[in-house]
Amino acid sequence: MNIYDFEVRTIDGKAMTLKAFEGKVLLIVNTASACGLTPHYEGLQRLYDTYKDQGFVVLGFPCNQFAEQEPGTEEEIKAFCETRYQVTFPLFSKIDVKGEQAHPLYRYLVENTPEPYKTGDIEWNFVKFLIDPKGRIIKQYSARTEPAAVEPDIRGLLGAAETE
């Protein structure tokens, strides 16, 4: 199994697989609208705006597991992200990212992140996973890692993709 085999649901409820993003550099993030880290949306959108034309995509997965900081419906989440942070990157239906009910994608991400970049379990909202264009997990970043701090790694992967 690889990252592209996982089925997910868009924020609008449509089933799809991550194969739609094959060949792109991905940043997969569990998100929340009522968290102290919610302003990360701004930085994530900035990264997406800067690099989307070069093959980079942010994938946002809302999650309500941490202090119930994502209590809204998919419609409310989408409206909040679009109006408050002008989010245009793909958002998906709310999922669990840890525990028995964790989405298989997140189980895969946590289990397959290589050392020394594996931080272990998902500790909070806005944990970030960087995926290369071949679907390999490159790094896991802690929740508190600012999106701008990930930018050099994104640029490096985009540059490497150009030379392959």
Side-chain angles (χ1 to χ4, degrees):
M1 180 147 223
N2 73 40
I3 195 114
Y4 303 123
D5 296 327
F6 288 97
E7 185 170 299
V8 293
R9 239 173 231 298
T10 68
I11 196 105
D12 297 318
K14 295 180 181 84
M16 66 176 289
T17 66
L18 293 181
K19 187 153 183 71
F21 303 105
E22 191 169 9
K24 299 194 179 293
V25 173
L26 305 176
L27 191 64
I28 299 175
V29 186
N30 61 304
T31 62
S33 300
C35 174
L37 299 176
T38 298
H40 278 217
Y41 271 126
E42 187 177 329
L44 293 169
Q45 183 62 42
R46 189 175 307 115
L47 288 172
Y48 181 64
D49 287 341
T50 302
Y51 298 106
K52 67 183 175 188
D53 293 337
Q54 297 171 50
F56 171 71
V57 184
V58 175
L59 305 179
F61 287 88
C63 176
N64 194 40
Q65 285 187 287
F66 304 100
E68 298 182 357
Q69 294 181 340
E70 188 60 276
T73 65
E74 271 78 8
E75 296 81 19
E76 291 167 336
I77 294 165
K78 181 179 178 186
F80 171 83
C81 290
E82 288 175 352
T83 58
R84 178 68 175 87
Y85 290 100
Q86 294 73 51
V87 167
T88 60
F89 57 79
L91 293 171
F92 297 87
S93 290
K94 203 170 1 179
I95 61 168
D96 282 355
V97 298
K98 63 187 286 179
E100 286 186 24
Q101 300 301 314
H103 191 284
L105 169 63
Y106 266 80
R107 276 195 234 122
Y108 178 84
L109 291 169
V110 168
E111 292 168 9
N112 293 285
T113 298
E115 297 292 348
Y117 305 112
K118 182 181 234 165
T119 65
D121 209 359
I122 308 295
E123 83 271 13
W124 201 250
N125 304 306
F126 293 94
V127 170
K128 300 152 194 75
F129 290 91
L130 185 62
I131 313 299
D132 79 3
K134 294 186 176 175
R136 296 176 295 218
I137 305 164
I138 300 302
K139 284 186 182 179
Q140 178 180 350
Y141 303 87
S142 75
R144 295 202 180 280
T145 301
E146 290 287 337
V150 181
E151 189 168 6
D153 291 333
I154 294 167
R155 276 198 314 264
L157 287 177
L158 290 171
E162 288 174 5
T163 60
E164 286 182 13

